[in-house]
């Protein structure tokens, strides 16, 4: 029996979460830091395992590799079945790369806070915060690995629980109206996603009644060889059930309203976990489950989903321009970026889907870099309001410089990672839906507006009162930011290692949907079309 690499990649953070939660309560700063080293070590071990998985993955080999299949609830056709394609293995690597940086950036986010009288304003088990992060990592990784629909559903829903406590129990505020806002954001996050999950559960049950199995490979094989056939009404209904849940998680306009509240009230590290890690499960599931299980329905509803994606691109960017809160600005910017990702997926072209997958990676890295630097700034000043800042580059030039680079990545500056992915998405969209591609490009202009205006208001000009003591980045913070910026540069200059892994899986997905890229339009020497 071969080594169960994928299972171990999930078990390591899960065991880390349990051991971290079981650590004795810290009594001083030294013991508290020691308790934080344990979860960080488990997250780094998980990253090593993910690197081994991607090294062993053969892009031009079998569709699903490193597979494991074990019977779970045999009478209902439920099994523990895991495997990765090129898209999944890249997103697992993204997740395992970001989690250690989130931990380092959040090193003091759950420490006790003492007011001037010496009374604890916040006294929580610090290790509980890091245990919850590891629990989220384990569930996200298993969601990317699952090739059993029921297994995927269980962890797609289960990850909501630790995220709820991270938002509601470890947010930025602790008292009065701010505590109420944090609780409201956590409950809204949970209810929206539970509603999506309940709709998906009905669709999962409906799928089983037609197929009598939850095995993704068996179902898609039967669809391809013609031994399984859905009526158009049934396929459309099942597709919508799955798509609704994924659109809530993604989030796709108009099901996005939980995200600004959740990101606004979470710590900067948890906000990165939401938008750069957890939300990627929604867009990934569109590729793995919606397109592969329901190919005809995917083509039927693609134009409507593309319209919603373009609305999300423009809507998110416009609202980002008008925000007064830094984290809510990043949240609306992410809604716009998720619009680009979903646009690439449902354009149903190889360039669009390759760009969408690469966009998931680049958005995760760029948002982490931008938002974590913003978190360092907000922790120094104690405010999320843009109006409270100004002239920061004079007192913290390295912080301002890294914030600028992160922002330039967000607006897809050439030479940084997101530019390549956004370009591919737009090219893929233009091939089949040129009008939507033209409208979507407006999101690029608006991104430049909200990024540069934010930088101008916070970093340039005279130093505003209250900002004089804002210090520059410390060693731990540089360890967080520098590798993320380096990764953005590498992905912007040489994305080929990622696209080489992703492209075969994209082509196989398009083949299952029955789509090929439109034939190129050839123009003769005189200027006429042929």
């Amino acid at each position: 029996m071969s080594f169960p690499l994928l299972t171990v990649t999930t078990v390591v953070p899960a065991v880390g979460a349990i051991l971290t939660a079981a650590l004795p309560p810290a009594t001083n700063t030294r013991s508290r830091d020691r308790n934080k080293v344990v979860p960080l070590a488990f997250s780094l071990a998980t990253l090593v395992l993910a690197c081994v998985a991607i090294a062993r993955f053969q892009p031009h080999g079998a569709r699903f590799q490193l597979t494991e299949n074990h019977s779970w609830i045999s009478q209902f056709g439920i099994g523990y079945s895991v495997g990765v394609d090129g898209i999944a293995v890249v997103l697992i690597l993204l997740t395992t790369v970001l989690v250690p940086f989130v931990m380092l950036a959040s090193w003091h986010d759950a420490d006790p806070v003492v007011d001037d009288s010496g009374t604890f304003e916040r006294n929580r088990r610090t290790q509980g915060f890091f245990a919850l992060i590891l629990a989220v990592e384990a569930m996200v990784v298993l969601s990317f690995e699952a090739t059993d629909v029921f297994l995927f559903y269980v962890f797609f829903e289960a990850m909501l629980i630790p995220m709820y406590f991270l938002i509601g129990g470890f947010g930025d505020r602790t008292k009065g109206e701010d505590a109420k806002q944090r609780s409201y954001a956590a409950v809204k996050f949970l209810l929206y996603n539970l509603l999506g999950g309940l709709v998906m559960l009905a669709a999962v049950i409906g799928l089983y009644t037609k197929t009598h199995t939850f095995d993704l490979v068996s179902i898609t094989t039967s669809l391809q060889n013609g031994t399984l056939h859905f009526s158009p009404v049934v396929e459309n209904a099942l597709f919508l059930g799955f798509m609704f849940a994924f659109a809530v998680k993604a989030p796709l306009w108009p099901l996005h309203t939980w995200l600004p509240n959740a990101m606004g009230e979470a710590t900067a590290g948890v906000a990165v976990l939401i938008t750069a890690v957890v939300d990627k499960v929604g867009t990934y599931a569109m590729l793995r489950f919606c397109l592969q299980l329901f190919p005809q329905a995917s083509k039927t509803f693609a134009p409507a989903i593309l319209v919603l994606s373009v609305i999300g691109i423009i809507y998110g960017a416009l609202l980002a321009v008008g925000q007064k809160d830094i984290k809510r600005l990043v949240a609306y910017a992410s809604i716009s970026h998720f619009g680009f990702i979903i646009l690439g997926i449902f354009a149903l072209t190889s360039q669009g889907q390759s760009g969408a997958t690469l966009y998931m990676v680049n958005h995760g890295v760029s948002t982490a870099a931008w938002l974590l630097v913003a978190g360092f700034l907000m922790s120094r000043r104690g405010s999320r309001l843009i109006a409270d800042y100004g002239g920061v580059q004079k007192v913290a030039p390295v912080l301002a410089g890294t914030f600028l680079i992160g922002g330039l990545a967000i607006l897809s500056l050439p030479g940084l990672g997101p530019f390549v992915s956004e370009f591919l998405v737009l090219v893929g969209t233009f091939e089949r839906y040129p009008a939507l591609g033209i409208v979507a490009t407006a999101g690029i202009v608006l991104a430049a507006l909200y990024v540069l205006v934010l930088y101008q208001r916070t970093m340039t000009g005279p130093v505003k009162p209250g900002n004089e003591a804002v210090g520059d980045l410390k060693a731990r913070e540089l360890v967080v930011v520098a590798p993320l910026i380096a990764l953005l540069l590498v992905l912007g200059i040489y994305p080929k290692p990622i696209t080489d892994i992703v492209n075969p899986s994209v082509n196989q997905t398009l083949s299952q949907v029955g789509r090929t890229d439109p034939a190129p339009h050839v123009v003769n020497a005189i200027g006429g079309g042929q």
Side-chain angles (χ1 to χ4, degrees):
M1 180 179 177
S2 60
F3 181 71
L5 180 59
L6 296 185
T7 295
V8 174
T9 306
T10 301
V11 168
V12 166
V15 170
I18 295 170
L19 293 178
T20 301
L23 291 171
T27 57
N28 52 49
T29 300
R30 184 176 180 179
S31 61
R32 190 175 301 113
D33 286 343
R34 185 174 60 246
N35 284 351
K36 298 171 187 176
V37 170
V38 173
L40 179 61
F42 274 95
S43 71
L44 291 172
T46 308
L47 172 58
V48 171
L49 289 167
C51 290
V52 173
I54 204 164
R56 290 180 57 182
F57 184 82
Q58 298 177 0
H60 297 284
R63 174 68 187 275
F64 292 105
Q65 300 178 34
L66 308 176
T67 57
E68 302 170 40
N69 294 284
H70 306 283
S71 179
W72 182 13
I73 310 175
S74 57
Q75 58 267 41
F76 293 108
I78 300 173
Y80 175 80
S81 300
V82 294
V84 288
D85 61 2
I87 299 170
V89 76
V90 165
L91 292 178
I92 289 171
L93 183 63
L94 170 69
T95 301
T96 57
V97 165
L98 291 181
V99 167
F101 291 123
V102 167
M103 286 187 176
L104 281 172
S106 306
W107 203 249
H108 298 298
D109 284 356
D111 287 353
V113 174
V114 182
D115 62 17
D116 294 336
S117 65
T119 303
F120 280 113
E121 291 184 358
R122 182 178 67 198
N123 187 15
R124 302 170 295 198
R125 286 174 59 88
T126 303
Q127 63 266 36
F129 176 76
F130 292 94
L132 289 169
I133 293 176
L134 283 174
V136 172
E137 180 180 28
M139 294 175 186
V140 170
V141 168
L142 188 53
S143 296
F144 289 138
E145 295 173 350
T147 56
D148 182 278
V149 178
F150 188 83
L151 180 68
F152 170 82
Y153 171 77
V154 169
F155 287 94
F156 180 81
E157 288 291 273
M159 71 179 71
L160 301 178
I161 304 305
M163 285 306 309
Y164 168 80
F165 287 109
L166 284 170
I167 297 167
F170 294 92
D172 275 350
R173 302 291 184 253
T174 57
K175 298 194 322 184
E177 293 300 319
D178 290 321
K180 293 179 181 178
Q181 287 297 317
R182 192 180 68 248
S183 298
Y184 169 78
V187 170
K188 187 174 183 179
F189 161 81
L190 187 63
L191 290 179
Y192 265 64
N193 284 276
L194 281 177
L195 174 61
L198 288 173
V199 174
M200 180 183 170
L201 178 60
V204 167
I205 295 170
L207 178 68
Y208 178 76
T209 62
K210 295 295 180 182
T211 63
H212 303 291
T213 181
F214 291 106
D215 185 69
L216 175 67
V217 176
S218 296
I219 297 173
T220 54
T221 301
S222 298
L223 287 170
Q224 285 185 295
N225 62 28
T227 58
L228 175 64
H229 176 73
F230 297 120
S231 69
V233 173
V234 170
E235 182 172 353
N236 289 347
L238 295 177
F239 171 86
L240 290 174
F242 277 77
M243 185 64 196
F244 181 81
F246 304 152
V248 171
K249 184 86 79 180
L252 175 65
W253 184 93
L255 304 173
H256 66 282
T257 59
W258 63 268
L259 183 65
N261 297 101
M263 287 185 64
E265 297 304 321
T267 63
V270 172
V272 169
L273 203 62
I274 294 170
T275 189
V277 175
V278 171
D279 287 354
K280 297 298 187 298
V281 178
T283 48
Y284 164 77
M286 294 176 191
L287 281 164
R288 170 162 280 189
F289 295 102
C290 284
L291 297 187
Q292 295 183 42
L293 292 174
F294 315 111
Q296 296 304 316
S298 297
K299 290 185 283 190
T300 299
F301 289 103
I305 295 170
L306 290 171
V307 170
L308 295 179
S309 301
V310 172
I311 292 173
I313 290 170
I314 305 302
Y315 171 88
L318 284 173
L319 266 67
V321 171
Q323 289 304 305
K324 300 178 181 180
D325 182 305
I326 295 175
K327 283 196 288 184
R328 288 180 70 91
L329 185 153
V330 179
Y332 281 109
S334 290
I335 291 168
S336 181
H337 295 148
F338 274 102
F340 276 109
I341 294 170
I342 300 171
L343 184 71
I345 292 171
F346 283 93
L348 299 180
T349 60
S350 59
Q351 295 95 334
Q353 290 193 357
S354 294
T357 305
L358 190 58
Y359 212 133
M360 292 186 221
V361 175
N362 284 318
H363 173 261
V365 178
S366 60
T367 299
W370 201 36
L371 187 51
L372 291 179
V373 175
F376 297 147
L377 175 64
M378 291 182 285
S379 67
R380 286 159 164 74
R381 182 67 172 82
S383 174
R384 293 157 30 188
L385 298 178
I386 298 172
D388 288 339
Y389 296 92
V392 173
Q393 67 180 11
K394 291 183 171 64
V395 294
V398 177
L399 187 154
T402 53
F403 187 69
L404 177 61
I405 295 172
L408 293 176
I410 291 290
L411 63 81
S412 298
L413 183 76
L416 297 173
F419 169 76
V420 180
S421 46
E422 198 165 274
F423 178 79
L424 286 172
V425 166
L426 290 173
V427 168
T429 304
F430 270 111
E431 284 191 350
R432 187 161 274 134
Y433 302 97
L436 292 177
I438 291 170
V439 177
T441 56
I444 301 174
V445 179
L446 292 170
L449 182 61
Y450 61 70
V451 167
L452 296 178
V453 168
L454 175 63
Y455 182 83
Q456 183 268 329
R457 291 178 177 175
T458 56
M459 301 296 170
T460 65
V463 179
K464 277 194 173 183
N467 291 325
E468 302 89 347
V470 172
D472 220 333
L473 295 182
K474 301 174 183 178
R476 171 180 58 85
E477 295 165 338
L478 286 170
V479 169
V480 172
V481 176
L484 293 174
I485 291 177
L487 191 54
L488 287 172
L489 290 168
V490 170
L491 290 172
I493 297 170
Y494 192 63
K496 188 174 183 294
I498 301 295
T499 56
D500 283 349
I501 295 172
V502 165
N503 285 342
S505 296
V506 165
N507 293 332
Q508 290 168 329
T509 300
L510 285 174
S511 176
Q512 286 181 296
V513 179
R515 282 288 198 186
T516 57
D517 289 334
H521 181 71
V522 180
V523 179
N524 63 28
I526 300 175
Q530 291 183 350

